[in-house]
Amino acid sequence: MKNLNVSDLVVIVLYLSVLVGLSLFLKKQATKSLEDYFLGGKKVPWWVMGISGMSSYVDMAGTMLIVSFLYMLGPRGLFIEFRGGAVLILVFMLLWSGKWHYRSGCMTGAEWMEFRFGSNWGGQVARVISLFAVIVTTVGMLAYMIKAIGLFTSMFIPLPPAQCALIMILIATTYTMLSGFYGVAYTDLFQAFIVVTMIIIISVLAFIKIGDGSNLAVIAEKVTGNNQWTHTFPSWKVYMPKGYEVYQDLIFFAFFYLLRNICFGISSAGADPRYFGARNERECGTLSFLWTSLMMLRWPMMIGFAVLGIFLVSGLFPDQNVVLQASVLVKSYLPGANKEQWQEIIAAISNFPNNYPAGLTSGLKALLGNDWQTKIHLVSFYGTINVEQIVPAVILFSFPIGLRGFFLIAFLAAAFSSFNSNVNSTTAYFIRDMYQRYFRPKAKDRELITAAYLFTSILVFTGFLFAYNLHSINQIWGWIIMGLGGGIAIPSMLKFYWWRYNGEGFAIGTATGIVTAILFAKFFNWMPEWQIFMIESVISLLATIWGTYLAKPVDDAVVENFYKKTKPFGFWKPYRKRLDPVIRLQMFREHRNEILAVPFTLCWQVSLFLLPMQIMIKSYSEFFINLVVFVVSLTGMYLLWYRNLPAKQKATE
């Protein structure tokens, strides 16, 4: 292979062999029962699930996307990634939504719908629509991951991105199917070790490369056009290159994305298998705290990649006009080239130059130099640097053959951890909430697990097809978070906080939101993400309220059981009055502390992510300001949240 040698290939084969070997080893335990397959029999330690959560969130696609914004903006790219990459919904999973789902005793979020709305028509349709929403979301997430895997690996393996992704996804699908949730948890533990090792290496190398930091701002401005690259606090306006101009109103987007995270956090966050599989309420909090804290490790690595990318691009393209000229040249010979398939075209030109006109390849060589076949991957459709390819470019140009195999498996580990978590939880939804509930209620575990294998295969194949109708991972992520998210956030939120809400309202609101999201993606994809989110949220809210009052309230006994077990806050006055005064006072104190802890926990998480980046780029004055925010926030969290967690001896069941 053009960019890997025998030692690289040995490392890759060894890594893939360990994954498959672990899945075969865990298969016997995973297939004992449906609870073992989907929840690890509720025997997986909280710290393993916390590490697994971190590993599943440090994904390849997300890393490539966030590095692209850090490359363009410096540490302030974090504020664009409030939309999802900063995972601020972990705040609400830590404070209350994780334990609310644990209290239900359910196995999936869709099963939870029946717990909330009952087993009549409303509860059943809510359960089915919830399942459909999860499947649609997961297909989008898989497309997002598959697109990134293809873009990344095609820079190392002489195959088109689609074929590279297909090979890797087949391996990931195999080990995910065989070992279920045990495989998710324990392969994530193995892969977390690889990812953390990569984090340390990249962070140290970037820190050394920066030196005293005196030249960083100058080089960054020359390469990116951003004259405030080393600043870490947000400003009203920032410079953004072609294709990303919509993000230039930084504070506006950061504030809007923060509101979006609050909306998502108080709605659907927490319906994760790790909370359904927790052993007690205390573990829901401690695994969330570990999960969030470990996510901090991701940010020095990503700013490290961005820094190395800046120095790399400065060296490769002293005059970036050649990038524009290369893009124009490709389009002149291939007039049908479009942005959706641009990377497929670039990979094909790079890997199989003899299939293209000699004038094209000789022209690219004249513009980009003798190593044009590698450099061309950094040429975007717009004639700028393809920022989504910074990560693989850094690995390819900054590390010798022999080390590239390790970095390749580290990013595959990140991708596979996210992949197996999403696939396992969605398969659990389908088997538990569709196949077993409606088609084969008397099916034995062996049949249900076999059906899980088949559904997993279909789910992944659908995501693969979807991936190659979109032009970038940013486009996919934007649609998932702001498009589809805007359509289903409101219906998901109301089920926790409003006693009158019913299954019909949830089903109509969610179905309307999904259809609206698909229509907007098809016909209104030119609109800014925030406008799409607002319009879809309003439409789904109106549909939800209309659907709720179209049908009768949920059976009183069902709502009362839900309220007493879950103990949510919100509009529950008719049921709150029925509680014993002592319990009512306990719930009031619990809810008060959780709500007051939100701003402290949000500030803690954001400052936690900023601190290592500020150290990396030697921004010490802003570091000390941020450190004060971090200490005050952590103190508030301790007083309002941590010291009120159930005692260990009272938490076990």
Side-chain angles (χ1 to χ4, degrees), residues 198-212:
M198 176 183 66
I199 288 171
I200 294 171
I201 293 172
I202 293 296
S203 301
V204 170
L205 289 176
F207 191 80
I208 294 172
K209 185 75 173 179
I210 292 170
D212 62 6

Side-chain angles (χ1 to χ4, degrees), residues 14 34 51 176 204 270 274 357 394 416 491 514 535 548 571 594 627:
L14 182 62
L34 206 61
I51 295 173
T176 301
V204 170
R274 294 171 183 86
V394 167
F416 288 174
I514 293 172
I535 294 171
T548 297
F571 299 98
E594 289 167 353
L627 183 62

Side-chain angles (χ1 to χ4, degrees), residues 466-591:
F466 184 43
Y468 286 91
N469 288 313
L470 297 161
H471 72 267
S472 71
I473 53 178
N474 186 57
Q475 180 191 14
I476 303 173
W477 187 241
W479 181 77
I480 294 169
I481 296 300
M482 304 304 292
L484 185 60
I488 64 178
I490 299 298
S492 296
M493 178 177 65
L494 291 177
K495 65 182 183 285
F496 288 103
Y497 307 103
W498 184 24
W499 72 269
R500 176 61 177 80
Y501 195 39
N502 54 30
E504 290 86 349
F506 174 84
I508 291 173
T510 302
T512 301
I514 293 172
V515 171
T516 304
I518 293 172
L519 291 175
F520 267 76
K522 181 69 175 176
F523 300 109
F524 300 97
N525 52 19
W526 49 269
M527 291 180 65
E529 292 174 356
W530 70 271
Q531 291 182 12
I532 292 174
F533 182 86
M534 292 298 294
I535 294 171
E536 291 184 3
S537 296
V538 170
I539 292 173
S540 68
L541 173 62
L542 294 175
T544 299
I545 294 174
W546 176 73
T548 297
Y549 285 104
L550 192 66
K552 297 184 298 183
V554 178
D555 181 79
D556 184 73
V558 171
V559 180
E560 184 172 14
N561 177 63
F562 168 82
Y563 181 68
K564 286 183 176 179
K565 287 189 70 174
T566 308
K567 301 181 178 68
F569 53 82
F571 299 98
W572 295 95
K573 185 176 181 181
Y575 297 92
R576 189 182 303 115
K577 291 191 299 184
R578 303 178 190 179
L579 295 175
D580 181 274
V582 175
I583 296 175
R584 192 160 60 233
L585 180 61
Q586 290 173 346
M587 287 175 59
F588 170 77
R589 289 172 176 169
E590 176 184 324
H591 297 155

